[in-house]
Amino acid sequence: HGLGGVAAAAPDAGPGPAWQSKCPWGAPSTTSISCSLADVMSEQLAKELQLEEENAAFPEVVAAAEGPFITGENIDTSSDLMLAQMLQMEFDREYDAQLRREEKKINGDSKVSISFENYRKVHPYDSDSSEDEVDWQDTRHDPYRADKPTTTPRRGFIGKGKDITTKHDEVVCGRKNTARMENFAPEFQVGDGIGMDLKLSNQVFNALKQHAYSEERRSARLHEKKEHSTAEKAVDPKTRLLLYKMVNSGMLETITGCISTGKESVVFHAYGGNSATEDKVIPPECAIKVFKTTLNEFKNRDKYIKDDYRFKDRFSKLNPRKIIRMWAEKEMHNLTRMQNAGIPCPQVVILKKHVLVMSFIGQDQVPAPKLKDVTLSSEDMKKAYYQILNMMQQLYRECNLVHADLSEYNMLWHDGKVWLIDVSQSVEPTHPHGLEFLFRDCRNVSQFFQKGGVAEALNERELFNAVSGLNITADNEVDFQAEIEALEKMNEDHVQNHGKKLSTFSSDGDPPIYDE
Ligand code: ADP
Ligand code: MN
């Protein structure tokens, strides 16, 4: 009875496929009106005998379903509505799985596909339900911690003598359990059990709780997916096509969602696939940086690339769309240089137009925190500082690069060390503004670590000299900056007069290496 009522309460699925009649519980067509819990329960009272019959048959059905909610032989049949709801959910799940199979069969590998989406049941499940059962124990929103209709003190009982009521009392527990159902996710319909003094056994409650969690998580994930697909819509159709191609080719397994949306780029997370065409190994997790093709965002960054001699010749000939691609290309080249020098940074996987795929810094879809967001012990802070000092020197000397946007925003803390990211704007030191960029980087780093309590941290001028190997002696910022600009001008004049840039600013030996 309960099952029929609930099945009918599910929204009409419309003209479902033929296999529907093969459902283990028969087609849900016995009743056409939806029932409230109150209706069902009062009917139960009226037709007690008939119900007992059905109740007797019920555990069998449960056993046949082999759902995750089976807790033992003695299923509490007074809560058959709840059980029926659980069964219904299981049924819906199977229904949807079958629907997906039908959909697949019909569509085959046709380019135009028909979606059965609208025939889906109340819970539009995603395909992998298996992991649900593992992590339902999550206690962040434990209903046990929420409101209690009757409180049992710590000692575990109320009352005196033979009127004593322990917290294990069936009736009290049952009511409590019923009330706790209120704490399940709002989408999980529990009916009006409280209003009618429904007593839920611990066994049934626990099964329900577990089930409610599964459903909550499922719907949370679904939400996530929805949000992600919205983020996907934030990229233009051409970019989406590029991304889909990467998935279709098997290079990527799935694009799970958006990690960051900045002014100049959108970064997605993806699981790497097993590409047959690429001979290099795709990292298990990837970050996809999509450079935005809304062109005006890049206007104020012109100087980074226009004056970079590596791109100078090409720049004038290019249309704005291609300039965006050059940003992606620049990031790729810079990352490769860094990789070769052994600097911790994302590894380039592939570049397609304005879309750069690289290895993901982080784990299980969670990106490593930026240095600005992580709280390090003073020991780690010191370690991070020396590591960055080293990296800046390597970047300058081995990669012949200045990061040009170095700060706690573009350094990630992962695996006990600092990783450099976001190097699309990085330039060679002899870039007309290269030394100014370096000085700015030094200021950011120096200030961050001085504020962070690293006593050993050099000030920005000392750091600049340590990285560049130059020996600028000015003891104040204004003079220091003036000397930097003089050096840059000297280089420009050299280009004017000799048609080529200076190979390096420093000619008096290697800079001192700072290390622990
Ligand atoms: P933007 O120019 O928008 O700042 P970033 O390269 O700094 O671009 O990327 C934006 C954010 O995306 C970063 O702050 C970081 O949180 C995340 N991110 C970028 N690349 C990766 C990566 N390879 N692994 C993990 N997270 C990344
Ligand atoms: Mn950044």
Side-chain angles (χ1 to χ4, degrees):
H1 173 96
L3 181 58
V6 176
D12 187 11
W19 52 265
Q20 199 181 49
S21 56
K22 286 181 212 146
C23 139
W25 305 293
S29 55
T30 41
T31 49
S32 55
I33 43 139
S34 62
C35 297
S36 73
L37 178 60
D39 288 339
V40 174
M41 296 309 267
S42 56
E43 264 185 82
Q44 269 179 347
L45 294 172
K47 305 174 184 176
E48 220 177 283
L49 274 174
Q50 186 198 332
L51 213 122
E52 259 168 35
E53 258 175 47
E54 286 176 20
N55 282 349
F58 200 59
E60 271 175 47
V61 180
V62 175
E66 288 192 341
F69 44 79
I70 295 169
T71 51
E73 261 91 273
N74 306 317
I75 303 282
D76 184 349
T77 50
S78 70
S79 314
D80 63 347
L81 182 87
M82 250 57 69
L83 289 167
Q85 283 187 326
M86 287 150 67
L87 279 173
Q88 185 63 50
M89 282 181 177
E90 281 296 301
F91 170 70
D92 289 349
R93 194 172 302 172
E94 278 174 34
Y95 176 95
D96 288 344
Q98 181 62 30
L99 201 64
R100 269 197 303 277
R101 283 193 286 272
E102 297 256 316
E103 190 180 291
K104 214 169 168 180
K105 206 168 104 193
I106 284 191
N107 290 324
D109 44 21
S110 156
K111 284 213 167 73
V112 181
S113 63
I114 296 162
S115 170
F116 282 5
E117 184 72 31
N118 290 341
Y119 291 121
R120 281 196 178 199
K121 293 286 186 182
V122 241
H123 310 276
Y125 304 119
D126 48 359
S127 52
D128 48 82
S129 61
S130 54
E131 71 202 72
D132 290 345
E133 279 76 51
V134 185
D135 54 11
W136 63 271
Q137 287 164 316
D138 185 301
T139 52
R140 273 174 304 177
H141 311 288
D142 192 343
Y144 282 108
R145 288 191 195 146
D147 72 301
K148 295 177 177 100
T150 52
T151 47
T152 311
R154 266 275 143 94
R155 57 199 162 121
F157 59 89
I158 336 171
K160 275 180 190 160
K162 63 179 166 64
D163 291 332
I164 202 161
T165 310
T166 72
K167 64 180 171 187
H168 300 297
D169 180 272
E170 256 185 66
V171 176
V172 173
C173 256
R175 290 202 184 109
K176 234 188 228 179
N177 286 341
T178 304
R180 280 166 177 163
M181 289 196 309
E182 289 289 282
N183 296 320
F184 292 157
E187 300 78 29
F188 190 82
Q189 290 175 15
V190 292
D192 185 23
I194 299 168
M196 50 199 322
D197 200 24
L198 179 75
K199 291 163 219 61
L200 212 55
S201 79
N202 282 350
Q203 209 171 32
V204 171
F205 173 76
N206 283 334
L208 263 172
K209 182 183 147 201
Q210 175 170 345
H211 190 68
Y213 273 142
S214 297
E215 292 306 318
E216 200 175 337
R217 291 180 161 273
R218 194 187 295 286
S219 99
R221 271 215 308 278
L222 219 88
H223 260 105
E224 255 172 39
K225 286 215 164 148
K226 288 247 167 68
E227 273 165 32
H228 293 160
S229 60
T230 321
E232 256 174 73
K233 272 171 200 150
V235 304
D236 60 78
K238 274 182 187 166
T239 308
R240 242 185 302 164
L241 190 64
L242 263 176
L243 296 178
Y244 286 147
K245 276 184 183 170
M246 288 177 179
V247 177
N248 274 347
S249 72
M251 193 193 81
L252 298 177
E253 172 78 30
T254 43
I255 298 172
T256 63
C258 176
I259 306 167
S260 149
T261 43
K263 264 193 287 179
E264 287 115 8
S265 73
V266 184
V267 180
F268 295 97
H269 171 276
Y271 284 109
N274 292 311
S275 175
T277 48
E278 308 286 329
D279 49 17
K280 71 169 139 185
V281 181
I282 312 287
E285 291 185 75
C286 296
I288 309 170
K289 188 166 179 177
V290 178
F291 289 78
K292 281 200 182 170
T293 45
T294 44
L295 304 162
N296 43 4
E297 307 285 5
F298 279 94
K299 265 211 183 100
N300 53 1
R301 301 180 81 185
D302 266 7
K303 64 175 174 184
Y304 288 90
I305 202 157
K306 208 160 55 189
D307 297 335
D308 189 322
Y309 78 97
R310 292 178 290 169
F311 297 88
K312 215 166 192 165
D313 295 340
R314 289 165 60 189
F315 192 85
S316 54
K317 298 171 196 142
L318 294 176
N319 68 36
R321 175 157 275 120
K322 286 186 179 153
I323 291 168
I324 304 297
R325 288 189 199 165
M326 276 171 70
W327 281 100
E329 194 187 324
K330 208 157 174 302
E331 176 133 34
M332 178 192 66
H333 288 313
N334 292 342
L335 282 175
T336 307
R337 280 194 197 183
M338 289 160 71
Q339 195 77 40
N340 290 340
I343 295 173
C345 68
Q347 192 176 354
V348 173
V349 176
I350 203 168
L351 172 76
K352 292 254 191 223
K353 296 183 178 174
H354 58 290
V355 176
L356 178 66
V357 182
M358 56 192 145
S359 64
F360 179 72
I361 312 302
Q363 211 186 349
D364 299 332
Q365 300 186 41
V366 182
K370 298 177 182 70
L371 218 50
K372 77 164 180 82
D373 292 326
V374 80
T375 315
L376 299 182
S377 66
S378 55
E379 200 180 304
D380 275 342
M381 197 72 173
K382 192 173 144 184
K383 204 172 109 187
Y385 170 73
Y386 279 109
Q387 195 205 328
I388 290 164
L389 176 51
N390 248 317
M391 288 197 291
M392 289 177 83
Q393 291 180 329
Q394 277 181 291
L395 198 62
Y396 191 94
R397 286 187 284 154
E398 292 171 43
C399 308
N400 197 29
L401 286 173
V402 169
H403 188 290
D405 194 14
L406 192 64
S407 73
E408 58 273 27
Y409 286 79
N410 283 327
M411 297 189 267
L412 306 181
W413 181 256
H414 179 64
D415 256 357
K417 61 183 172 189
V418 179
W419 298 64
L420 292 189
I421 60 161
D422 202 1
V423 290
S424 63
Q425 72 295 311
S426 301
V427 295
E428 299 201 342
T430 51
H431 178 286
H433 303 284
L435 294 183
E436 290 166 78
F437 296 150
L438 177 62
F439 188 55
R440 197 178 55 193
D441 286 354
C442 290
R443 192 191 294 135
N444 292 336
V445 169
S446 183
Q447 280 175 2
F448 178 76
F449 284 99
Q450 282 179 345
K451 276 184 196 154
V454 177
E456 296 88 341
L458 301 173
N459 72 36
E460 61 225 47
R461 282 162 282 135
E462 293 165 331
L463 185 58
F464 180 94
N465 284 338
V467 170
S468 66
L470 295 168
N471 191 24
I472 298 178
T473 49
D475 61 355
N476 66 81
E477 177 152 347
V478 176
D479 291 347
F480 202 92
Q481 211 133 13
E483 278 198 53
I484 284 174
E485 281 166 38
L487 276 172
E488 286 175 343
K489 186 165 185 308
M490 192 183 79
N491 185 42
E492 283 304 285
D493 291 345
H494 189 86
V495 174
Q496 290 276 308
N497 300 333
H498 299 87
K500 62 174 176 143
K501 69 184 182 84
L502 292 168
S503 61
T504 169
F505 288 101
S506 168
S507 55
D508 48 13
D510 279 340
I513 297 187
Y514 286 77
D515 210 339
E516 273 178 294

